[in-house]
């Protein structure tokens, strides 16, 4: 088992009960969905397992069985709340501190400019603090998504 020391996602999972809505958009025993903390795109979600796993190949049968359901339910909720035309689902998990498996679920607006399509969407992640979706707005979106998911 790889070390959970220095793992951003495990640090947040350890505080599950006190996480704000933006960090607990949805969850079950296997997965937790959060709003990405450094994105300029409202509704950019990250879906990660509740335990430390660094490769999709090591997901448990239970985690694997729940994964598809969450990707579809969250995509439907994003469509309803953000009006997106579709969602991108992307998984890399190779940045230092972020090796914990996490799926980006990215709402894609119909009017998204061509240079932001496909991998170009990642220009909207790792945004400068002034360009990031604010915490209050992320919490608001999280609560709207929770209402739809209920
Ligand atoms: Zn971890």
């Amino acid at each position: 088992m790889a070390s959970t020391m220095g793992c951003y996602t495990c640090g947040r999972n350890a505080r599950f009960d006190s996480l704000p809505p933006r960090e607990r958009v949805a969850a079950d025993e296997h997965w937790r969905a959060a709003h990405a903390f450094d994105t300029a795109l409202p509704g950019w979600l990250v879906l990660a397992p509740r335990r430390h796993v660094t490769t999709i190949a090591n997901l448990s049968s239970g985690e694997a069985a729940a994964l598809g359901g969450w990707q579809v339910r969250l995509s439907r909720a994003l469509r309803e709340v953000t009006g997106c035309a579709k969602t991108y689902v992307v998984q890399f998990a190779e940045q230092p501190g972020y090796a914990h498996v996490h799926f980006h679920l990215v709402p894609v607006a119909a009017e998204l400019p061509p240079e932001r399509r496909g991998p170009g969407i990642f220009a909207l992640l790792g945004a400068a603090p002034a360009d990031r979706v604010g915490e209050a707005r992320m919490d608001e979106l999280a609560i709207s998504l929770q209402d739809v998911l209920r």
Side-chain angles (χ1 to χ4, degrees):
M1 187 58 165
S3 169
T4 63
M5 286 282 287
C7 173
Y8 173 81
T9 304
C10 284
R12 307 318 292 165
N13 280 344
R15 276 170 248 164
F16 183 84
D17 290 330
S18 61
L19 294 176
R22 62 185 177 277
E23 295 192 74
R24 209 170 63 179
V25 173
D28 65 7
E29 60 182 308
H30 299 298
W31 296 91
R32 175 174 62 91
H35 197 290
F37 65 85
D38 64 350
T39 182
L41 181 62
W44 186 313
L45 301 182
V46 177
L47 178 67
R50 301 282 298 271
R51 68 183 180 100
H52 191 71
V53 187
T54 58
T55 172
I56 294 171
N58 286 348
L59 290 175
S60 69
S61 305
E63 287 159 350
L67 175 60
W70 276 121
Q71 291 182 342
V72 174
R73 289 183 68 212
L74 291 166
S75 291
R76 286 177 181 152
L78 282 171
R79 181 174 62 190
E80 188 156 338
V81 169
T82 71
C84 63
K86 57 167 72 187
T87 47
Y88 292 155
V89 178
V90 188
Q91 205 287 144
F92 300 116
E94 55 188 9
Q95 300 257 25
Y98 300 89
H100 192 125
V101 164
H102 58 282
F103 291 86
H104 297 272
L105 276 103
V106 189
V108 183
E111 66 274 14
L112 189 74
E115 69 273 17
R116 290 284 169 267
R117 294 199 173 267
I121 198 79
F122 276 84
L124 298 173
L125 196 68
D131 296 330
R132 293 178 189 173
V133 182
E135 291 185 348
R137 178 73 183 120
M138 289 194 282
D139 282 339
E140 220 176 79
L141 281 162
I143 289 164
S144 298
L145 290 164
Q146 288 164 357
D147 285 344
V148 170
L149 288 163
R150 209 166 273 139

